[in-house]
Amino acid sequence: MRKALIICAAGMSSSMMASKTTEHFESKGHDIKVEAVSTGEGSNLIEDSDFDLFLISPQTKMYYDKMKQSGDRVGKPVINIPSQAYVPIPMGVEKLANLILEELPEA
């Protein structure tokens, strides 16, 4: 199973997006799990976790450069989520799922 982590301000909206996107992947037969954490937890997890991809939520994009540097140190991708892929409606979930599929390293 491949894993992606959304890093968000407080983790509320990102938890909903993570859950809906994981359900979307399951319905399409993909073995991908999406989880979510707050910015404080996320910065520690980039260098010390088994996640394959890190996604920075639109409201925390000011932390992107710092988190990208952490990802570069350990060879893991860190990307910004565009605001249109961060809406908990089917179209937004599908956009986020497509972004993850494009950016997720091959297993």
Side-chain angles (χ1 to χ4, degrees), residues 17 21 56-59 61 80-99 102:
M17 288 301 297
T21 307
I56 310 303
S57 70
Q59 63 269 41
K61 65 183 174 188
N80 277 315
I81 301 172
S83 53
Q84 66 269 25
Y86 202 71
V87 186
I89 60 172
M91 183 180 73
V93 171
E94 188 166 342
K95 284 181 189 254
L96 182 57
N98 288 338
L99 177 68
E102 288 171 18

Side-chain angles (χ1 to χ4, degrees), residues 27-55:
S27 74
K28 303 287 185 191
H30 294 290
D31 194 18
I32 301 170
K33 182 172 184 174
V34 183
E35 295 181 30
V37 295
S38 68
T39 307
E41 292 176 85
S43 56
N44 296 330
L45 289 172
I46 290 174
E47 293 191 48
D48 189 29
S49 74
D50 63 346
F51 288 96
D52 304 295
L53 174 66
F54 297 89
L55 303 134

